[in-house]
Amino acid sequence: MKHRIVVLGAGYAGAFAAGNLARRLSPADTEITVVNAVPDFVERMRLHQLATGQDVAVRKLADVFAGTGVRLRLARVTGLDPERRTVAVTGEDGDGALVYDTLLYALGSSVAHHGVPGVAEYAFDVTGRSSALRLRERLAGLGRGGTVLVVGEGLTGIETATEVAEARPDLSVAVAARGEHGAWLSPKARRHLRQTFDRLGITVHEHTGVEAVEPTRAIAADGRSLPAEVTVWSAGFAVHPIAAAGGLEVAGTGQIVVDRTMRSVSHPDVYAAGDCAYAIGENGRPLPMSCASAGFTNMQATAAIIARLTGGEVPTTGLKYYGNHISLGRRDAIVQMVDGDVRSKSWYLGGRTAAWLKAGVLKGAGWGIAHPTFGMPKRKRRLATAPDRVGARAAA
């Protein structure tokens, strides 16, 4: 019997990890299945572009994994039983259960509502393709002078606000920031950000928490009414509670607590990568939910899985956060590097050169997903023990 590897999620972490595993493990010993709820790869870093009416290439996962030996199961994960090593799913083929010997959990994250009244009913977000398309349709229906409020001063909020303002200069765009806008950037980068917002006509409400969202406005903590025919919620991310409900050890964020090799500390045949992994970086702090972290954690997880299954020494890959690249529309951007304590360095790159660099990062990430097995060692590594015994060995 072949060793069954199941990868949950085909985002940046899951899709690349599945290709890496398929390229480096012998198909004579292993069977790799990827479970994903939708048939397309969601290029999450471009969803703010999709929401403003731009064309974003659609990559079918069936095409991505064609010829790799990876099996694709289009289904939604509804439950996890790590004691029995099963995953409950539901899809076009009905309800079912997948049995695994090794599980890579990479279900990512979604928008965090933080219990704020009205967010679920009235707010929009750009954390998924369907939600970005919903926002796209709503923005298209706004006439001149329509009001858009972006709640959240992080990377997603900045990129969404600038993208909307550049694409629709006829709209009134504002941002509600809990603290000082761009306070985490270096002084020069912060000045660049403010100048860009001024150029695009974006209003910033600093030190403004939003405590309720209504159909045409948001209510600030101080009682102010902020006009918003469209409220875009970008106030953080949350992970699905499936891992916690299944009995895996999770952090207060709901993320799976993993060791240095991305292995669950409570269930050794489960690994996690991407936003759902509570991984400690080289600076002793949890890695932020980001595409960069998805890359670090999936490389570490796949390296550990391959080494343990083939009897090799488990390598460690770097878990250092280097900085942020922030789009400010299509012709401007900021690249801000950080130090080991995740504090912004004085140096930054801005303007068209930074925008070109960001475009290159996006293009490279998209190409890598479209060619998940390219550039890896040829598939030739056999498992160290008989396939039907590897699961027991890995759990030891």
Side-chain angles (χ1 to χ4, degrees), residues 162-366:
T162 53
E163 205 74 47
V164 172
E166 182 180 86
R168 293 291 305 276
D170 59 315
L171 300 179
S172 176
V173 180
V175 170
R178 280 191 170 274
E180 181 184 351
H181 194 228
W184 45 277
L185 293 168
S186 64
K188 291 182 179 179
R190 192 182 315 153
R191 183 164 58 250
H192 185 111
L193 178 66
R194 291 179 180 275
Q195 289 172 346
T196 299
F197 270 52
D198 289 343
R199 172 174 59 82
L200 294 173
I202 302 172
T203 300
V204 179
H205 303 286
E206 293 188 325
H207 307 290
T208 302
V210 171
E211 293 197 344
V213 175
E214 298 180 357
T216 59
R217 65 175 185 169
I219 307 301
D222 59 8
R224 282 180 297 152
S225 176
L226 305 176
E229 293 175 76
V230 174
T231 296
V232 184
W233 194 261
S234 59
F237 305 112
V239 299
H240 200 286
I242 285 178
L248 294 175
E249 183 173 334
V250 299
T253 57
Q255 295 168 289
I256 299 172
V257 180
V258 295
D259 64 15
R260 181 59 177 78
T261 68
M262 302 303 119
R263 198 182 203 180
S264 165
V265 298
S266 61
H267 294 79
D269 46 11
V270 176
Y271 293 77
D275 286 354
C276 57
Y278 188 78
I280 304 302
E282 294 176 8
N283 59 4
R285 302 178 183 179
L287 289 175
M289 295 186 186
S290 69
C291 181
S293 296
F296 301 148
T297 55
N298 95 67
M299 287 189 290
Q300 178 61 79
T302 53
I305 291 170
I306 292 165
R308 289 189 172 116
L309 292 185
T310 59
E313 183 177 350
V314 178
T316 55
T317 61
L319 296 178
K320 183 179 179 180
Y321 198 75
Y322 292 96
N324 301 302
H325 39 74
I326 313 163
S327 295
L328 303 175
R330 294 297 85 216
R331 298 179 294 277
D332 196 0
I334 289 174
V335 175
Q336 176 68 73
M337 308 304 291
V338 300
D339 61 19
D341 293 321
V342 201
R343 293 176 301 194
S344 294
K345 295 182 177 180
S346 60
W347 179 88
Y348 91 102
L349 182 65
R352 288 185 179 271
T353 301
W356 175 83
L357 179 60
K358 175 65 182 286
V361 169
L362 293 174
K363 185 176 181 180

